[in-house]
Amino acid sequence: MEHHGTENDVPPIKVTIVKGKEDICVKMSDQGGGIPRSQVDQLFKYMYSTAPQPPKSKTDLPLVPLAGYGYGLPISRLYARYFHGDLVLFSCEGYGSDAIIYLKAFSDEANELLPIFNKTSTRFYKATVPTGDWSNQVKGKKVKPIVI
């Protein structure tokens, strides 16, 4: 919004949704001025925001901003990756940005990706030291309980 001035000059945000054989892609494109390449990596750090500070309330009721806390992009990408997808950003400084969200096309392929706690994730996460917990039984070894 800061890039264009008045509300009448704002170009529309274009949203494209495509279902492929493996993924559903949601692409959002704007002409909001883009982001310098030096800042793109910062956008996925928690508590980093490019949003301006919200104005202070002149009444007894506090204003609650919807942006500026630095959690939106990192958590959105975390959710997408949790279900075997991703969120990526491409920016052209001085013009605009594209955000693409990749999601699995079939729900049976979008099972939760958790370390050790499900069958899918065990092939991706291997413990360097064998453990004997309920999710990764070590054959032939008995684990002694710790008595406190």
Side-chain angles (χ1 to χ4, degrees):
M1 294 297 295
E2 298 89 9
H3 186 70
H4 290 284
T6 67
E7 288 183 28
N8 298 333
D9 295 335
V10 178
I13 295 173
K14 296 179 184 175
V15 178
T16 306
I17 302 172
V18 179
K19 182 180 180 204
K21 291 180 181 178
E22 296 181 11
D23 293 323
I24 294 173
C25 295
V26 180
K27 178 182 175 186
M28 293 155 280
S29 303
D30 68 28
Q31 295 177 29
I35 303 160
R37 283 190 319 146
S38 62
Q39 289 183 6
V40 171
D41 290 338
Q42 298 290 322
L43 296 176
F44 288 102
K45 291 184 178 178
Y46 289 94
M47 301 194 57
Y48 177 84
S49 180
T50 61
Q53 290 292 320
K56 302 292 182 200
S57 175
K58 294 180 182 177
T59 67
D60 291 338
L61 300 173
L63 293 175
V64 181
L66 295 176
Y69 292 110
Y71 288 93
L73 282 173
I75 287 180
S76 297
R77 184 172 71 175
L78 185 67
Y79 273 119
R81 288 180 174 177
Y82 182 75
F83 291 109
H84 300 270
D86 205 358
L87 185 154
V88 293
L89 289 177
F90 302 99
S91 183
C92 183
E93 185 180 8
Y95 181 74
S97 300
D98 291 346
I100 301 175
I101 301 171
Y102 297 99
L103 302 169
K104 285 295 183 184
F106 301 103
S107 60
D108 60 334
E109 295 177 1
N111 50 349
E112 300 170 290
L113 183 60
L114 294 173
I116 300 176
F117 299 106
N118 70 28
K119 290 180 183 180
T120 302
S121 62
T122 55
R123 66 181 161 193
F124 298 110
Y125 300 102
K126 295 291 181 190
T128 56
V129 177
T131 58
D133 67 358
W134 62 270
S135 65
N136 185 14
Q137 293 297 316
V138 177
K139 297 192 187 278
K141 277 191 170 183
K142 291 185 179 179
V143 178
K144 291 183 180 179
I146 298 173
V147 180
I148 299 177

